[in-house]
Amino acid sequence: MTSSPPKPAAPAAPAPVTPLGWMHTARFLTTAAQLHHLPDHDLPEIAFVGRSNAGKSTCINTLTQQKQLAFASKKPGRTQHINLFSLGKQGITDAVLADLPGYGYAAVARDDKARWQRVMANYLVSRPNLLGVVMMCDPRHGLTELDEALLEVIRPRVEQGLKFLIVLTKADKLTRAEQAKALSIARLQAGGGEVRLFSALKKQGLEEVAQLLWDWTHPANATGEAASPAAPETPAD
Ligand code: GDP
């Protein structure tokens, strides 16, 4: 019996980049207590905001599949910092996530709160390459006064094209009917922005949110191909 020699293994094709795979590339970049300490860069930046306890850290950790990434923002001394994370395959950063401190936490001293509201508002109004804002909201409480105030701050930029997404967190705590109701209320409040249901517990909405952030940061160019060098190759049809 003859057996042909084993063929050399074909070089492995590069794994296609899925939006969720891209989210998993998140790496801690830097932390800053003041706006002018944030590094300048010319990549699209997406800010995550939300009332404290809305589920923001859990959402970021679940999306990036890194247990402690956003919880780094909760370490003493960092709770009032803007924490930046880089995203990008093969070490080539193509987007930046900014985790902004949770607001509305009762135990924060009034002066600190006021200072923080200013830093946050300044960031949202003046960060040059801010591409989009993701607001986490616990749908059992709906948008709070502070969420509404933040919406007011970014409204002029949203009208000029800033992208906006409300993530309704902890969706597992709602029945299907409650989820549908929360979605339609939030859609009215989002003023043309997007809304997605999300549950870290049930892994619900991960792909949808990742896809949206990918689409924001990798807009198709005129030929219909994704603009990013890290984008998966699509067969010509
Ligand atoms: P943050 O203050 O906005 O960063 O909120 P956390 O991520 O710390 O979450 C606040 C609380 O909500 C924690 O007790 C989490 O375990 C809980 N939580 C967050 N996401 C979910 C979720 O998807 N489902 C459920 N049931 N609980 C969640």
Side-chain angles (χ1 to χ4, degrees):
M1 207 172 81
T2 56
S3 62
S4 50
K7 288 187 184 134
V17 181
T18 63
L20 209 46
W22 171 70
M23 292 295 305
H24 295 170
T25 64
R27 296 284 175 275
F28 177 75
L29 200 60
T30 191
T31 182
Q34 293 177 37
L35 225 47
H36 63 272
H37 290 155
L38 283 178
D40 288 331
H41 60 77
D42 50 15
L43 296 166
E45 192 161 295
I46 298 175
F48 283 71
V49 300
R51 202 185 151 79
S52 77
N53 220 36
K56 179 162 62 68
S57 311
T58 306
C59 178
I60 294 175
N61 288 335
T62 309
L63 281 173
T64 58
Q65 216 179 56
Q66 295 184 38
K67 276 196 187 118
Q68 289 304 323
L69 197 64
F71 282 115
S73 316
K74 293 194 161 187
K75 281 187 185 149
R78 276 205 196 159
T79 53
Q80 304 220 329
H81 283 203
I82 294 173
N83 294 291
L84 298 188
F85 308 110
S86 62
L87 290 180
K89 281 275 180 185
Q90 278 127 20
I92 302 169
T93 302
D94 56 7
V96 172
L97 301 183
D99 183 15
L100 270 60
Y103 41 84
Y105 184 50
V108 175
R110 218 174 48 179
D111 287 355
D112 286 349
K113 243 187 225 171
R115 189 186 72 82
W116 244 102
Q117 278 168 11
R118 273 200 310 279
V119 175
M120 189 118 97
N122 283 341
Y123 169 89
L124 292 167
V125 167
S126 68
R127 184 76 170 150
N129 44 344
L130 183 65
L131 176 83
V133 173
V134 181
M135 178 184 277
M136 309 288 152
C137 170
D138 184 332
R140 295 169 304 164
H141 308 308
L143 291 193
T144 65
E145 230 173 272
L146 287 170
D147 294 325
E148 300 273 10
L150 192 147
L151 266 177
E152 278 308 306
V153 168
I154 62 170
R155 196 175 303 278
R157 285 192 83 172
V158 171
E159 281 163 10
Q160 290 163 12
L162 180 76
K163 298 178 189 311
F164 180 61
L165 163 68
I166 295 180
V167 172
L168 299 173
T169 56
K170 313 182 195 181
D172 54 278
K173 290 184 186 266
L174 302 183
T175 63
R176 282 198 168 267
E178 288 168 338
Q179 289 187 7
K181 191 175 168 196
L183 260 181
S184 48
I185 293 172
R187 281 197 181 116
L188 289 175
Q189 295 171 312
E194 304 276 350
V195 185
R196 296 287 184 280
L197 287 160
F198 188 91
S199 164
L201 198 74
K202 291 277 166 70
K203 305 269 181 279
Q204 177 187 350
L206 272 69
E207 280 87 3
E208 289 87 338
V209 172
Q211 181 74 52
L212 193 61
L213 302 191
W214 170 271
D215 291 346
W216 282 1
T217 48
H218 302 78
N221 63 21
T223 61
E225 290 161 357
S228 160
E233 283 183 17
T234 45
D237 51 20

